[in-house]
Amino acid sequence: MKQMIIEGQNILTGKIDIGGAKNSAVALIPASILAKGKSIITNVPNISDRDALIDILKILNCEVTLNDDELIIDTTNLKNSLIAEKYSSRLRASYYFMGALLGKEKHVEIYIPGGCNIGSRPIDIHLDGFKALGARVTIEENKYILDADELIGTDINLRFASVGATINLMFASVYAKGTTVIHNAAKEAEIINIADFLINMGANITGAGTDTITIKGIENRELKGATIKVLPDRIEAGTYIILGALIGDNLTINNIDPTTIKALTDKLTQMGSKFTIKDNSLTISKSPNLKAIDIQTAVYPGFPTDIGQPMSVLLTQSHGTSVFEETIWENRMGHVPSLNKMGANITVNNMTATIKGPTPLKGCEVIATDLRGGASLVIAGLIAEGKTIITDVEHILRGYENIDKKLQQVGAKITIKEI
Ligand code: EPU
């Protein structure tokens, strides 16, 4: 068990380098098994979700070498095997082995995926898509068995623009016979990054980044190992940008793609926050008198659900009443009791939080209930008076690489210790 200890109210100044996007890397790593041979993924973030996926690759008899942020995966001796619950339950993204193994081997046995407890997280859209391609789906207790004699391209209409289902169906259809068209596809930047990897392997995919993705199956050819760079993590970037708006003094966030964080920067501008964007970096300082604002999360390019919890801390320091509505996950308010314990004034009604500010925050002992909720407590601890102790820090380390070191470098007093 790990614990984070923060001494708050130190001004943050200097530079933070953003790593590769967790939500892209966790799909690119399983995608490697679609190709035969060696793939190289660069800019891979140093997060525990990465390590959990590497362990699954090893079960599948892949050779994996990690050199800093470069991951080399050799699938030459791939052997299809059961992915046991102790591996699949370590993270949500283990379900990308469903689409990848189904696409490559036409057979997969995997236990239910894990991940943050932010809602019921069904995978019916994935399974319906696999079935539409011709797969048989059997569920035995907690195990999914997917089988197909042949996968046949078809039109698939997603009832919701699910990120995971869009990616899994691209994986399942790259080798299918004929053409698959995914309608109402997710449009996240991560989807483009993942499609680019498959295209580099030799897949025939068009339309990634729009709501219609077309995959022409390559049937009798084999995809070849390829190289891809993970795009910058827009959620990690957003988290540190919010921190800069609260306690930064010329805090520069480097290695960002400004187009992917526009929903956040638009809201910051409306609140009166001052920042400058130059090429791939953003510099921000604490602004006085930030205005309260209403926010509703939405699918890309709307305001990202994954930034909602960090953003709620900024709203506790803004003047007036903000209404924050989460629309994607039904259980993304787990951080609110901790923020209120620190002195925030937040009331929650279903998926809507009403936040009255500004309220000074005071350090105390709090619990990270999930990844982004945990990140919001780090922000709260850094602006609070006195000492904050965060327990269950493992949630945070699943998605933020070297968070303690990156923050120490810009002046934060933050340490992680084993307890
Ligand atoms: N949904 C269904 N059925 C499905 C799939 C999704 O009902 O088969 C519902 C979900 O319950 C949810 C909504 O659709 O209400 C969105 O789900 P989506 O499938 O888009 O999310 P995901 O692929 O499971 C990814 C990220 C999440 C991020 C969402 C939305 C990964 C590993 N996870 O999840 O990231 O919130 O997209 O952008 O890529 C995080 O990083 O903290 C995180 C939770």
Side-chain angles (χ1 to χ4, degrees):
M1 290 263 287
K2 288 191 166 74
Q3 194 180 62
M4 192 182 271
I5 300 147
I6 301 172
E7 288 286 346
Q9 296 192 339
N10 291 291
I11 300 296
L12 305 183
T13 185
K15 295 186 173 78
I16 296 180
D17 292 333
I18 296 305
K22 161 186 153 314
N23 288 345
S24 195
V26 297
L28 292 168
I29 296 171
S32 64
I33 66 159
L34 282 161
K36 187 157 188 177
K38 211 179 262 185
S39 283
I40 301 175
I41 309 175
T42 60
N43 202 30
V44 177
N46 177 4
I47 52 176
S48 59
D49 273 10
R50 172 200 69 184
D51 301 332
L53 291 167
I54 290 176
D55 286 346
I56 297 179
L57 285 175
K58 288 181 178 164
I59 291 167
L60 298 174
N61 210 33
C62 298
E63 231 176 80
V64 186
T65 316
L66 180 64
N67 300 319
D68 296 323
D69 66 354
E70 182 186 80
L71 190 60
I72 304 167
I73 303 162
D74 190 342
T75 66
T76 308
N77 300 315
L78 177 79
K79 218 165 73 202
N80 199 352
S81 317
L82 166 76
I83 300 173
E85 192 155 15
K86 71 171 178 176
Y87 295 103
S88 63
S89 65
R90 279 166 69 189
L91 77 170
R92 190 76 193 154
S94 56
Y95 65 20
Y96 288 131
F97 284 100
M98 280 187 176
L101 277 173
L102 181 66
K104 182 73 171 39
E105 303 281 298
K106 299 198 178 62
H107 177 82
V108 46
E109 289 187 41
I110 184 169
Y111 278 82
I112 52 164
C116 287
N117 178 19
I118 52 176
S120 60
R121 310 194 83 170
I123 57 166
D124 56 305
I125 304 175
H126 306 233
L127 300 179
D128 287 349
F130 296 146
K131 286 182 201 161
L133 290 166
R136 289 178 296 276
V137 176
T138 314
I139 306 170
E140 282 176 5
E141 302 215 353
N142 285 341
K143 185 168 76 170
Y144 293 92
I145 304 168
L146 314 181
D147 265 308
D149 302 323
E150 194 174 43
L151 293 165
I152 299 176
T154 185
D155 275 43
I156 301 174
N157 289 293
L158 305 187
R159 70 166 170 79
F160 181 86
S162 156
V163 172
T166 301
I167 295 168
N168 246 337
L169 294 173
M170 287 200 294
F171 292 170
S173 57
V174 283
Y175 284 112
K177 193 170 179 182
T179 300
T180 301
V181 183
I182 306 174
H183 299 278
N184 194 28
K187 299 193 286 261
E188 271 71 358
E190 289 76 16
I191 307 276
I192 303 174
N193 198 206
I194 292 150
D196 282 345
F197 188 32
L198 300 176
I199 292 165
N200 293 349
M201 291 174 175
N204 189 339
I205 301 177
T206 51
T210 75
D211 57 11
T212 308
I213 302 179
T214 303
I215 304 115
K216 289 193 179 143
I218 57 163
E219 275 185 82
N220 302 322
R221 277 193 301 119
E222 197 161 34
L223 296 177
K224 297 269 181 298
T227 299
I228 190 76
K229 181 176 179 189
V230 183
L231 87 167
D233 195 316
R234 62 196 165 94
I235 309 301
E236 186 196 20
T239 304
Y240 293 131
I241 290 168
I242 289 167
L243 200 46
L246 282 162
I247 196 156
D249 176 12
N250 283 311
L251 182 69
T252 297
I253 318 298
N254 278 331
N255 301 344
I256 60 164
D257 176 351
T259 58
T260 64
I261 52 165
K262 192 168 178 311
L264 171 65
T265 48
D266 283 353
K267 286 291 178 193
L268 291 175
T269 302
Q270 280 177 44
M271 295 175 80
S273 171
K274 298 271 185 295
F275 55 87
T276 51
I277 296 178
K278 192 165 172 274
D279 303 326
N280 293 327
S281 65
L282 182 150
T283 301
I284 188 162
S285 297
K286 175 186 166 99
S287 304
N289 300 324
L290 289 176
K291 289 195 280 277
I293 197 171
D294 292 345
I295 296 178
Q296 194 182 51
T297 61
V299 295
Y300 194 80
F303 192 90
T305 169
D306 299 338
I307 285 289
Q309 290 162 299
M311 190 67 174
S312 65
V313 185
L314 185 62
L315 300 181
T316 69
Q317 303 308 307
S318 308
H319 292 252
T321 301
S322 301
V323 177
F324 174 76
E325 192 189 351
E326 164 62 19
T327 66
I328 311 287
W329 302 110
E330 62 272 25
N331 188 18
R332 241 187 172 168
M333 298 289 172
H335 62 307
V336 170
S338 289
L339 290 184
N340 281 344
K341 188 176 171 192
M342 294 176 80
N345 181 346
I346 308 177
T347 47
V348 175
N349 186 0
N350 292 323
M351 288 159 73
T352 302
T354 303
I355 304 172
K356 291 193 175 142
T359 47
L361 300 183
K362 241 182 143 60
C364 61
E365 190 164 332
V366 289
I367 304 167
T369 54
D370 58 85
L371 167 61
R372 309 299 173 190
S376 75
L377 300 183
V378 176
I379 299 174
L382 289 167
I383 63 167
E385 186 197 330
K387 188 197 273 188
T388 297
I389 298 174
I390 305 177
T391 52
D392 288 1
V393 172
E394 284 75 8
H395 285 298
I396 303 171
L397 304 181
R398 287 198 21 233
Y400 288 89
E401 67 170 6
N402 303 326
I403 187 167
D404 48 342
K405 294 184 187 66
K406 287 189 184 187
L407 288 168
Q408 283 160 7
Q409 268 175 21
V410 293
K413 290 219 162 68
I414 177 170
T415 49
I416 296 177
K417 69 170 193 197
E418 199 75 45
I419 50 168

